[in-house]
């Protein structure tokens, strides 16, 4: 995880906590409404310890977050982008207080999910962690639940697994050219335990674990096998699993234990 310096300018902290621009905050500090550890601070150049200092505005303590880590259960119909002219973005699902800039940097998405894909989405201000989780060289596993258009018999299942485990070749998609995928892992499940959007049993159900994040990778893998993904949901990233108690579109902060699960091995 990216380390943020302990001592930080008071005006920057207040600006990043929604108290106005840096210029507005300087005026705010001079008005004698800001205290640090119970002492009124009027010096606009003052620096405080973000880990130990107690900062209050008009007597109300504020929580200083150097970095933030959110888990979201992405809802279908939302794009993984800061802006979109046609569809709402995942940032529209965030509360205003959470959707901003932090001392560690801007809030960004860790890997994208397609418009129609659901499931685990991580948003963080920690650029170093973001890079480790998305760079192919770290081999971070991402596991997906997949509903398929066509049923797959036992012989075909073996072929699917063998092709995926050795690294399947996928065709081009839009501006993305053909490519060889890293070896993945395929597991089959009892389709009768699942229901599609119409309440019917899918043709077949499996999970696919991939170790990179190429454009439409999961869909292109099954297309190369002669099948089609009709539903896709990300279940886990690295060792962190989606909290299934989160309804589609809901999110929450990660606990320290969950953050360790997410980051473990990401820099090995």
């Amino acid at each position: 995880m990216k380390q943020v310096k302990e001592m930080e300018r008071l005006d920057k902290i207040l600006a990043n906590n929604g108290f106005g621009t840096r210029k507005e905050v300087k005026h705010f500090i001079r008005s004698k409404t800001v205290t640090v550890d119970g002492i009124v601070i009027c010096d606009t150049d003052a620096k405080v310890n973000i880990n130990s200092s107690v900062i209050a505005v008009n007597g109300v303590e504020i929580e200083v977050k150097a970095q933030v880590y959110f888990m979201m259960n992405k809802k279908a119909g939302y794009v993984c982008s800061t802006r979109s002219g046609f569809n709402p973005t995942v940032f529209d699902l965030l509360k205003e207080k959470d959707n901003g800039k932090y001392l560690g940097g801007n809030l960004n998405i860790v890997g994208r999910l397609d418009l129609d894909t659901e499931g685990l989405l991580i948003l963080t201000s920690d650029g170093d962690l973001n890079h480790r989780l998305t760079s192919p060289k770290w081999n971070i596993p991402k596991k997906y639940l997949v509903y398929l258009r066509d049923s797959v018999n036992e012989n075909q299942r073996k072929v699917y697994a063998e092709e995926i485990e050795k690294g399947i070749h996928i065709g081009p998609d839009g501006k993305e050219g053909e490519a060889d995928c890293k070896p993945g892992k395929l597991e089959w499940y009892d389709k009768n335990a699942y229901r599609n959007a119409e309440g019917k049993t899918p043709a077949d159900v499996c999970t696919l674990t991939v170790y990179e994040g190429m454009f439409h990778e999961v869909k292109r893998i099954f297309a190369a096998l002669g099948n089609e993904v009709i539903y896709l949901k990300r279940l886990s990233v690295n060792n962190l699993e989606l909290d299934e108690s989160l309804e589609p579109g809901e999110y929450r902060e990660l606990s320290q234990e969950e953050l360790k699960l997410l980051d473990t091995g990401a820099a090995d």
Side-chain angles (χ1 to χ4, degrees), residues 115 218 248-249 257:
L115 176 67
V218 175
E257 292 74 18

Side-chain angles (χ1 to χ4, degrees), residues 99 118 190 234:
N99 189 7
E118 301 178 356
D190 179 6
R234 185 155 65 195

Side-chain angles (χ1 to χ4, degrees), residues 154-220:
E154 287 301 320
N155 288 333
Q156 289 175 316
R157 288 185 176 193
K158 292 179 182 178
V159 173
Y160 277 34
E162 290 172 357
E163 291 294 314
I164 288 171
E165 286 172 5
K166 71 181 183 183
I168 191 168
H169 183 82
I170 57 177
D173 187 337
K175 296 181 180 179
E176 299 293 320
E178 58 185 279
D180 291 317
C181 295
K182 289 187 175 183
K185 182 180 179 182
L186 184 66
E187 296 180 88
W188 295 96
Y189 289 80
D190 179 6
K191 64 182 181 182
N192 295 305
Y194 298 86
R195 295 291 182 271
N196 60 24
E198 290 75 38
K200 298 179 180 179
T201 303
D204 237 322
V205 177
C206 62
T207 59
L208 176 62
T209 302
V210 295
Y211 294 85
E212 51 197 332
M214 288 191 288
F215 181 71
H216 289 172
E217 184 175 9
V218 175
K219 294 177 181 178
R220 292 163 72 187

Side-chain angles (χ1 to χ4, degrees), residues 30-213:
R30 294 191 189 100
S31 67
K32 300 182 179 182
T33 58
V34 181
T35 61
V36 177
D37 297 327
I39 301 172
V40 175
I41 301 296
C42 299
D43 181 4
T44 59
D45 295 325
K47 288 189 176 183
V48 300
N49 189 307
I50 63 172
N51 295 319
S52 61
S53 297
V54 177
I55 304 169
V57 177
N58 290 318
V60 179
E61 290 184 18
I62 67 170
E63 182 181 8
V64 179
K65 292 181 180 179
Q67 301 283 20
V68 69
Y69 306 87
F70 292 124
M71 168 195 293
M72 176 183 286
N73 184 359
K74 181 186 171 294
K75 190 174 184 179
Y78 286 77
V79 295
C80 289
S81 175
T82 55
R83 62 183 67 181
S84 174
F86 303 99
N87 300 98
T89 83
V90 293
F91 288 95
D92 294 325
L93 296 168
L94 299 175
K95 297 176 182 176
E96 185 177 355
K97 68 180 183 65
D98 295 326
N99 189 7
K101 185 175 182 180
Y102 296 83
L103 294 176
N106 291 317
L107 189 63
N108 286 298
I109 301 164
V110 179
R112 295 170 181 264
L113 292 177
D114 296 340
L115 176 67
D116 58 348
T117 302
E118 301 178 356
L120 178 59
L121 187 67
I122 303 299
L123 299 98
T124 182
S125 57
D126 188 338
D128 288 352
L129 177 63
N130 196 336
H131 174 72
R132 291 197 298 276
L133 293 175
T134 54
S135 175
K137 72 176 182 178
W138 298 122
N139 291 312
I140 300 300
K142 292 98 176 174
K143 187 175 184 179
Y144 294 83
L145 175 67
V146 183
Y147 292 0
L148 294 171
R149 178 195 63 199
D150 305 324
S151 61
V152 184
N153 62 40
E154 287 301 320
N155 288 333
Q156 289 175 316
R157 288 185 176 193
K158 292 179 182 178
V159 173
Y160 277 34
E162 290 172 357
E163 291 294 314
I164 288 171
E165 286 172 5
K166 71 181 183 183
I168 191 168
H169 183 82
I170 57 177
D173 187 337
K175 296 181 180 179
E176 299 293 320
E178 58 185 279
D180 291 317
C181 295
K182 289 187 175 183
K185 182 180 179 182
L186 184 66
E187 296 180 88
W188 295 96
Y189 289 80
D190 179 6
K191 64 182 181 182
N192 295 305
Y194 298 86
R195 295 291 182 271
N196 60 24
E198 290 75 38
K200 298 179 180 179
T201 303
D204 237 322
V205 177
C206 62
T207 59
L208 176 62
T209 302
V210 295
Y211 294 85
E212 51 197 332

